[in-house]
Amino acid sequence: MRIAMVSEHASPLAALGGVDAGGQNVYVARLSEELARRGHEVTVYTRRDAPGLPDRVPLPGGAVVAHVPAGPARAVPKDELFPYMPEFGAWLARVWARERPDVAHAHFWMSGMAARIGAHPHGVPVVQTFHALGTVKRRHQGRLDTSPPERVGVERQIGRGCARVLATCSDEVRELAEMGVPPRRVSVVPCGVDAEQFRPGVPPGRVPPRTARHRLLACGRFVPRKGYDQAIQALARIPDAELVIAGGPAAALLADDPEARRLRRLARRIGVADRVLMPGAVDPAAMPALIGSADLVLCTPAYEPFGIVPLEAMACGVPVVATDVGGHRDSVADGTTGRLVPPQDPEAVAAAVRALLADDALRARYGTAGRTRVLTHYTWQRVAGGVEQVHRQVLAGPAQQKEVA
């Protein structure tokens, strides 16, 4: 198949850790690489966000990134990209007139808008992965939500009008149904993790040295919704433990980062600043060692569309304490690979952590079960196989389409 991946802001080439660069970038990159290795011709269309970028950049495995001229050739926050989507879509339409893809797979709602503009003149079916839904973001962020006001309406139109919605977790299917997208039009294929890179027993390398304390780890983008403040508040109830919060800008720039400053103020106020470490951005190659250095990984957002960090932890054989939200409900097997706790409840986080830190054998069982769960359900090979099946069903026509789990 000739597959067009449309990812307007989440380039596979972006450095991870920025406000708008995280799990979606990894998903698009790894899925594209794996589909290319399966023999498909894969092009990822992403916005040109700097002058002088090559028109096309090859990815490992044979996929190609194409930079689309839409809007200024500079970094623009994703929530400000909406006005440039007609230009993005018109460019796709011109390119696809010469090289028509068999299927377009759009990532995020604005990519869906651009993909439908590009696909319509040529009858190209569009598969949509939202990665996050505006209804959920608005519910949890309220007036702090910086999404364009058109977002929810556009998402509803895309969900009802595309050939297929590919959701990453069962919670998203329920949310889509409330938006008027029937479950029969939705397939569920989860995100994945590189189980060869993320594995138990990776040498420590440049990981911050352990102390005599237990180590708790939280990691990801430095944005308030990730809930690192909940982990810090829980730490006050967990004696003899340190908390490493990895991510955000480089260590030298943390002092100027608003979220890092907020978290440090909180840690000082509740008396745990001496037990909170912030190493800043971590080289992706060093993440398996950092995860492996922890006794537990904490994932404490108020909401999470999917969440790759729990998969990375389980792949490394490290138990997870995660909030009972979104994709965590699918990926973390409560009482088997970790614990699910209510969101915004530091006491519940602390209680789960204390119970696990007190039982070495239980942590070991959870870690082994987590690794097995990843190898069974969440390798990129398995994810790409599920996505490939959805693409083929779309090309076969409505009569062949069914849910994929």
Side-chain angles (χ1 to χ4, degrees):
M1 283 183 287
R2 179 177 286 173
I3 302 170
M5 295 284 187
V6 183
S7 183
E8 98 291 336
H9 77 274
S11 169
L13 305 174
L16 301 182
V19 172
D20 291 335
Q24 184 177 329
N25 303 69
V26 174
Y27 179 95
V28 172
R30 295 308 309 272
L31 177 59
S32 298
E33 292 168 11
E34 188 60 37
L35 288 171
R37 289 192 181 99
R38 288 170 169 256
H40 302 294
E41 183 180 331
V42 182
T43 302
V44 183
Y45 296 91
T46 193
R47 199 183 72 85
R48 183 185 296 276
D49 61 2
L53 290 176
D55 291 340
R56 296 172 69 84
V57 180
L59 290 173
V64 173
V65 174
H67 288 116
V68 177
R74 58 175 172 79
V76 176
K78 69 181 180 184
D79 287 335
E80 299 175 15
L81 291 175
F82 179 67
Y84 308 119
M85 290 305 102
E87 182 182 359
F88 196 122
W91 189 92
L92 292 177
R94 291 193 296 272
V95 170
W96 291 349
R98 300 190 302 270
E99 295 184 353
R100 180 188 182 277
D102 296 307
V103 62
H105 189 160
H107 300 271
F108 202 57
W109 69 279
M110 283 185 283
S111 293
M113 177 182 173
R116 292 186 70 194
I117 293 171
H120 178 72
H122 315 297
V124 177
V126 175
V127 173
Q128 176 70 39
T129 298
F130 285 107
H131 293 279
L133 289 168
T135 53
V136 178
K137 187 174 182 183
R138 182 176 296 174
R139 183 184 311 133
H140 288 279
Q141 295 193 358
R143 289 178 296 177
L144 297 179
D145 180 9
T146 57
S147 300
E150 298 90 347
R151 177 173 180 172
V152 172
V154 172
E155 286 180 337
R156 187 175 288 111
Q157 292 174 2
I158 292 170
R160 294 172 176 176
C162 67
R164 197 79 180 157
V165 177
L166 200 160
T168 56
C169 68
S170 54
D171 197 62
E172 186 178 346
V173 179
R174 292 187 289 271
E175 192 73 30
L176 286 164
E178 293 181 5
M179 294 169 57
V181 181
R184 67 178 181 275
R185 302 197 64 252
V186 182
S187 298
V188 179
V189 180
C191 296
V193 65
D194 186 338
E196 295 180 5
Q197 177 188 5
F198 290 89
R199 66 186 192 280
V202 176
R206 299 189 300 274
V207 169
R210 283 283 301 258
T211 66
R213 296 167 171 155
H214 288 290
R215 171 169 287 181
L216 312 175
L217 173 67
C219 52
R221 292 183 295 139
F222 263 39
V223 291
R225 80 165 183 85
K226 290 297 183 181
Y228 302 128
D229 54 347
Q230 303 297 299
I232 291 173
Q233 291 179 53
L235 186 66
R237 301 166 170 87
I238 307 168
D240 301 322
E242 66 180 15
L243 172 64
V244 179
I245 306 177
L253 302 176
L254 281 175
D256 296 323
D257 183 85
E259 181 64 1
R261 292 200 304 268
R262 182 179 78 92
L263 296 174
R264 282 176 167 161
R265 286 195 302 268
L266 173 63
R268 287 193 299 268
R269 190 174 75 246
I270 63 177
V272 297
D274 62 323
R275 295 193 284 135
V276 175
L277 288 71
M278 292 189 192
V282 176
D283 185 336
M287 280 304 303
L290 179 59
I291 292 171
S293 76
D295 296 293
L296 296 171
V297 169
L298 308 186
C299 302
T300 54
Y303 72 98
E304 184 62 80
F306 184 83
I308 288 180
V309 172
L311 298 186
E312 294 174 341
M314 291 191 297
C316 291
V318 178
V320 180
V321 174
T323 44
D324 186 11
V325 297
H328 292 171
R329 293 169 175 162
D330 288 358
S331 58
V332 180
D334 187 34
T336 301
T337 69
R339 293 297 311 278
L340 291 175
V341 297
Q344 298 180 312
D345 188 343
E347 179 52 51
V349 175
V353 169
R354 289 194 302 266
L356 286 169
L357 293 182
D359 193 334
D360 294 349
L362 181 59
R363 290 202 312 279
R365 289 199 301 272
Y366 279 11
T368 299
R371 175 73 181 175
T372 300
R373 185 170 176 80
V374 162
L375 294 176
T376 303
H377 299 288
Y378 296 108
T379 65
W380 282 115
Q381 292 80 9
R382 183 174 178 86
V383 171
V387 172
E388 181 184 51
Q389 184 178 346
V390 171
H391 289 173
R392 291 194 185 282
Q393 289 173 352
V394 165
L395 291 177
Q400 299 299 316
Q401 293 185 33
K402 60 181 180 180
E403 292 187 23
V404 177

